[in-house]
C-alpha cells in the first residue's frame, strides 16, 4: 500500500505473511510501514515508522503465538489542548483549526513490545490459556498548554520539557470449560490477570512563558534545550491484580442465558514527587470483590432482551503534567464504579439494531480553579440506540445515537450538586453509510455524519462549547490490474472544514481536525 495525506504526508506499507510446514502448522507475518511529511496543521510535520513480526503455531490441541512490535513517531509543532482560566466568563469562539497554539514544540515516542500467548485443550471440554508480555516506551516532548484568559481569545502559555520512560509487564492465565448439570449447560471460566507498570518523569518548566491571541495565527519558535539538565526520576508505580470466576448457564434450549461472576480486584500504587523522586504520601492499596450479573432472554432467534449489572475498581486519574496546574502529576485514589443496563437486541445476521437504557456512577475528577482532584460523584443515565448491517442490497449502514443525563449526584460543594458533568454532551449521534454503485462494479461510495450537542466544560456550568456537526465522505474502487487485485481509496475527513471545539472530561478543550484528504492504493501480490 502507498498513499498520500494532505498536505504532503507520503507513506508506504508492506504486509507479508503465509503458512508453512506440515499441515501449515507454522505461520509468519511481517508488517513494515513508514510515512512522513507535512500535515494539515500550519508548520507541522510528522514522521512515523512501524515494524512488527507475528509468529504462530497451530496444532489440533495446542496453539501458540509470539508478536514483536517496534514503533516510532515524531511530531514537530505539536497541537495542544486548552486549559480554561478561573476568571473566564465564556468560551471564546473557536479559532482556525489549522493553527497549532502556541505553535512550537515537538513530541518523540519510541515503543518496543512483545507478547507470547498459548492455549491448550486439556480435553474437548476444557481449555487452559496463558500469556505474558512486556512493553518499553521512551517518550519526550517540548510543549505548552495554552490557558484561555478572556472572550477576546487572549491566552497565556508556559512551556515545559518532559521526558517519560515507561516499563510495563502483564500476565494473564486461566481455564475455561463447558459442562452440563441435567438440562442446564454451563460455560465456566476462571481467570487471573496482573499488570505491573513503572513510570519515570523529567519535567523542566523553565522555558520562557508568553501571551498571544487565538485569532492572529502567530507561531512561536521552539525554545532551545541545549545545556539544560532534565534527569528522570520515579513518578508512578502501579500494580493491578484481578481474579474472576464466572459461569454462563443456558436454559430452555439456549433461549435463556444467565451469567454470574465474582471478581477480586486489587489496585496498588505509589506516586512520587518527580522533582525529587521522593514518595509523595503513603502507598495506596485498595481491593474489592465485585459482582458481574447478566441475563439474556431470546423471545425469538433474532430478538433478545438483556440486562446486566457490573461493579469495578480502577486506578484513579492522574493530574495533567502542566505548569498551570498546582498539583501536576498527582495520582488520585482508586475509583469504584457501578453500571446497570437493560436493553433489546434485534439481529438477523446481516442486520442488527439495539436499544438500551443505562446508568453509570463513578467518582468525578476534574479541574477546579487550578487544582485537579475528585469533587464528588458523577451519575450518567441515558438511552442509546445502534444500527448496523445491510438495509437493502448494496447499502450498508453503521451508526447510533445516545441521550445522556450526566450530573454531579454528590459534591463537596452544595452549589455544584445537580450540575451537569464536565465534558459529557446530552446528545450524540453518528451515522455512516456505504453504497455499492450497481452500474459500475467495484465502485463504493461512503459517507458519515457526526453530531455532538453543546457541552459544559466547568463544574459551575457557566462555561460551555456549542454543538457541532461534521461530515466525512469517501470512495473506493476495487479492480484488477495485470491479474492482480488492486484497491483505490479516497477519503475526506471534515468535508466542509468545520471549526469546532471538543471537550475532555477533565475540562480541557481541543480543536477538531481540519479538512484532511487521504488517497491510497493497495495491491495484493
Amino acid at each position: 500500500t502507498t498513499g498520500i495525506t494532505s498536505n504532503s504526508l507520503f507513506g508506504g506499507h508492506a504486509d507479508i505473511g503465509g503458512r508453512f510446514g506440515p499441515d501449515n502448522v507454522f505461520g509468519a507475518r511481517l508488517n513494515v510501514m513508514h510515512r512522513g511529511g507535512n500535515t494539515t496543521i500550519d508548520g507541522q510535520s510528522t514522521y512515523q515508522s512501524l515494524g512488527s513480526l507475528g509468529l504462530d503455531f497451530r496444532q489440533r490441541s495446542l496453539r501458540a503465538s509470539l508478536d514483536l512490535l517496534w514503533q516510532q513517531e515524531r511530531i514537530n509543532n505539536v497541537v495542544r489542548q486548552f486549559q480554561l482560566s478561573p476568571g473566564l466568563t465564556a468560551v471564546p469562539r473557536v479559532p482556525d483549526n489549522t493553527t497549532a497554539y502556541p505553535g512550537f514544540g515537538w513530541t518523540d515516542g519510541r515503543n518496543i513490545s512483545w507478547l507470547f500467548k498459548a492455549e491448550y485443550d486439556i480435553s474437548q471440554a476444557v481449555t487452559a490459556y496463558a500469556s505474558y508480555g512486556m512493553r518499553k516506551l521512551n517518550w519526550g516532548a517540548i510543549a505548552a498548554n495554552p490557558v484561555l484568559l478572556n472572550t477576546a481569545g487572549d491566552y497565556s502559555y508556559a512551556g515545559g520539557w518532559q521526558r517519560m520512560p515507561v516499563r510495563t509487564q502483564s500476565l494473564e492465565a486461566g481455564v475455561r470449560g463447558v459442562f452440563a448439570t441435567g438440562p442446564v449447560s454451563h460455560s465456566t471460566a476462571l481467570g487471573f490477570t496482573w499488570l505491573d507498570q513503572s513510570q519515570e518523569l523529567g519535567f523542566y518548566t523553565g522555558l520562557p512563558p508568553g501571551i498571544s491571541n487565538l485569532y492572529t495565527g502567530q507561531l512561536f519558535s521552539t525554545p532551545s534545550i541545549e545545556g539544560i539538565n532534565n534527569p528522570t526520576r520515579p513518578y508512578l508505580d502501579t500494580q493491578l491484580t484481578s481474579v474472576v470466576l464466572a459461569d454462563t448457564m443456558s436454559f430452555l434450549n439456549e433461549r435463556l442465558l444467565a451469567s454470574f461472576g465474582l471478581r477480586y480486584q486489587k489496585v496498588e500504587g505509589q506516586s512520587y514527587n518527580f522533582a525529587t523522586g521522593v514518595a509523595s504520601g503513603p502507598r495506596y492499596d485498595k481491593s474489592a470483590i465485585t459482582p458481574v450479573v447478566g441475563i439474556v432472554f431470546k423471545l425469538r432467534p433474532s430478538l433478545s432482551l438483556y440486562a446486566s449489572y457490573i461493579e469495578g475498581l480502577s486506578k484513579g486519574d492522574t493530574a495533567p503534567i502542566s505548569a498551570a496546574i498546582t498539583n501536576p502529576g498527582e495520582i488520585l485514589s482508586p475509583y469504584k464504579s457501578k453500571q446497570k443496563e437493560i436493553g433489546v437486541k434485534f439481529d438477523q445476521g446481516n442486520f442488527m439494531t439495539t436499544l438500551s437504557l443505562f446508568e453509570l456512577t463513578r467518582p468525578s475528577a476534574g479541574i477546579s480553579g487550578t487544582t485537579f482532584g475528585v469533587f464528588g460523584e458523577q451519575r450518567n443515565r441515558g438511552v442509546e440506540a445502534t444500527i448496523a448491517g445491510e438495509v437493502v442490497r448494496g447499502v450498508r449502514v453503521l451508526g447510533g445515537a445516545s441521550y445522556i443525563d450526566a450530573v454531579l449526584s454528590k459534591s463537596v460543594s452544595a452549589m455544584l450538586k445537580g450540575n451537569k458533568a464536565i465534558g459529557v454532551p446530552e446528545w450524540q449521534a453518528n451515522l455512516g453509510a456505504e453504497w455499492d454503485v450497481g452500474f459500475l462494479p467495484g465502485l463504493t461510495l461512503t459517507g458519515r455524519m457526526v453530531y455532538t450537542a453543546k457541552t459544559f466544560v466547568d463544574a459551575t456550568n457557566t462555561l460551555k462549547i456549542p454543538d457541532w456537526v461534521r461530515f466525512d465522505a469517501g470512495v473506493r474502487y476495487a479492480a484488477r490490474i495485470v491479474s492482480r487485485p488492486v484497491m483505490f481509496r479516497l477519503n475526506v475527513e471534515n468535508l466542509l472544514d468545520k471549526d469546532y471545539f471538543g471537550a475532555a472530561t477533565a475540562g480541557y478543550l481541543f480543536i477538531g481536525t481540519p479538512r484532511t484528504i487521504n488517497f491510497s492504493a493497495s495491491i495484493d501480490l
Side-chain angles (χ1 to χ4, degrees):
T1 302
T2 185
I4 180 174
T5 301
S6 55
N7 289 343
S8 60
L9 185 59
F10 293 91
H13 176 203
D15 182 354
I16 307 167
R19 306 204 65 79
F20 55 94
D23 299 323
N24 286 329
V25 295
F26 296 103
R29 187 173 185 178
L30 174 68
N31 272 268
V32 291
M33 182 276 291
H34 177 76
R35 67 174 189 164
N38 297 324
T39 74
T40 54
I41 303 297
D42 293 340
Q44 185 181 85
S45 61
T46 183
Y47 303 90
Q48 303 167 352
S49 298
L50 176 148
S52 69
L53 177 63
L55 306 172
D56 73 86
F57 174 82
R58 298 178 186 173
Q59 214 175 36
R60 182 175 180 180
S61 58
L62 176 64
R63 295 160 297 280
S65 64
L66 175 64
D67 293 287
L68 310 173
L69 176 68
W70 172 83
Q71 292 174 287
Q72 181 176 1
E73 181 179 39
R74 168 84 180 200
I75 302 175
N76 297 310
N77 194 11
V78 295
V79 176
R80 298 298 294 174
Q81 65 267 26
F82 292 91
Q83 188 179 329
L84 306 177
S85 168
L88 194 65
T89 58
V91 176
R93 64 178 173 85
V94 61
D96 183 2
N97 57 21
T98 61
T99 301
Y101 308 91
F104 69 80
W106 49 261
T107 68
D108 196 329
R110 302 183 182 189
N111 187 355
I112 299 175
S113 59
W114 64 267
L115 175 66
F116 175 76
K117 300 173 66 176
E119 61 177 33
Y120 179 71
D121 297 331
I122 300 173
S123 68
Q124 290 186 343
V126 180
T127 298
Y129 63 91
S131 64
Y132 179 76
M134 296 189 70
R135 173 175 177 257
K136 183 178 180 180
L137 169 67
N138 281 315
W139 177 84
I142 291 180
N145 292 343
V147 181
L148 296 178
L149 302 176
N150 52 47
T151 56
D154 294 323
Y155 68 86
S156 63
Y157 65 87
W161 174 25
Q162 301 176 45
R163 299 174 60 212
M164 181 180 285
V166 181
R167 296 174 179 82
T168 306
Q169 55 181 334
S170 61
L171 172 67
E172 181 180 20
V175 60
R176 57 181 182 267
V178 295
F179 62 95
T181 55
V184 180
S185 61
H186 299 259
S187 177
T188 305
L190 175 63
F192 168 81
T193 59
W194 172 80
L195 181 143
D196 180 84
Q197 185 177 85
S198 62
Q199 302 178 50
E200 295 181 0
L201 180 65
F203 189 27
Y204 176 79
T205 59
L207 300 181
I211 294 179
S212 187
N213 186 276
L214 294 175
Y215 311 116
T216 63
Q218 183 179 6
L219 301 179
F220 298 89
S221 300
T222 300
S224 173
I225 55 175
E226 185 176 354
I228 297 176
N229 183 33
N230 186 18
T232 62
R233 297 182 176 89
Y235 168 51
L236 175 64
D237 294 331
T238 304
Q239 282 192 355
L240 307 177
T241 305
S242 174
V243 179
V244 61
L245 175 63
D247 183 31
T248 298
M249 294 176 285
S250 175
F251 305 86
L252 305 175
N253 294 322
E254 297 190 351
R255 289 190 62 194
L256 176 62
L257 303 176
S259 298
F260 301 94
L262 289 175
R263 181 169 52 175
Y264 169 78
Q265 295 174 272
K266 187 176 184 180
V267 179
E268 300 175 87
Q270 178 65 66
S271 59
Y272 301 86
N273 183 325
F274 53 79
T276 63
V278 177
S280 56
R283 180 179 179 87
Y284 62 78
D285 184 340
K286 188 172 183 179
S287 62
I289 297 177
T290 57
V292 178
V293 180
I295 297 176
V296 178
F297 181 67
K298 297 181 180 180
L299 299 173
R300 299 202 309 262
S302 60
L303 184 62
S304 302
L305 303 176
Y306 65 90
S308 66
Y309 176 78
I310 301 173
E311 293 184 6
L313 186 69
S314 60
K315 186 181 72 171
D317 290 328
T318 303
I321 305 299
S322 170
I325 298 291
T326 56
N327 57 335
E330 181 179 339
I331 313 300
L332 305 182
S333 298
Y335 297 157
K336 188 172 184 179
S337 61
K338 300 178 181 179
Q339 179 175 318
K340 309 169 188 175
E341 183 175 3
I342 60 172
V344 57
K345 178 180 180 181
F346 177 71
D347 189 352
Q348 285 188 312
N350 64 339
F351 179 79
M352 183 268 291
T353 182
T354 65
L355 179 66
S356 64
L357 303 173
F358 61 87
E359 179 182 277
L360 172 66
T361 59
R362 59 165 290 170
S364 174
I367 299 172
S368 178
T370 58
T371 301
F372 185 86
V374 172
F375 301 106
E377 181 182 82
Q378 180 175 325
R379 186 206 65 211
N380 294 1
R381 283 179 179 166
V383 56
E384 181 178 35
T386 63
I387 183 173
E390 193 169 31
V391 291
V392 297
R393 184 177 177 83
V395 178
R396 295 169 297 278
V397 297
L398 174 64
S402 65
Y403 169 78
I404 303 176
D405 180 29
V407 299
L408 295 178
S409 54
K410 298 179 183 178
S411 175
V412 294
S413 171
M415 296 177 60
L416 300 181
K417 185 176 180 180
N419 282 7
K420 295 293 185 180
I422 296 174
V424 183
E426 282 191 338
W427 290 97
Q428 287 182 293
N430 65 85
L431 180 63
E434 294 186 346
W435 174 41
D436 297 332
V437 180
F439 58 82
L440 185 55
L443 181 66
T444 300
L445 304 181
T446 66
R448 184 172 65 160
M449 180 276 294
V450 180
Y451 171 76
T452 298
K454 67 180 181 180
T455 308
F456 288 103
V457 293
D458 70 327
T460 59
N461 289 179
T462 56
L463 302 177
K464 63 183 177 182
I465 56 176
D467 62 345
W468 56 269
V469 61
R470 192 192 78 207
F471 296 95
D472 306 331
V475 58
R476 66 176 182 267
Y477 180 64
R480 298 188 73 87
I481 299 179
V482 194
S483 301
R484 298 294 183 185
V486 179
M487 179 69 75
F488 299 96
R489 292 182 175 88
L490 176 65
N491 294 294
V492 183
E493 183 179 322
N494 196 359
L495 180 67
L496 304 180
D497 200 24
K498 172 73 173 179
D499 294 327
Y500 62 91
F501 274 128
T505 54
Y508 280 102
L509 302 185
F510 60 88
I511 300 176
T513 304
R515 181 192 294 120
T516 304
I517 303 172
N518 296 281
F519 175 77
S520 68
S522 302
I523 182 169
D524 189 349
L525 301 176

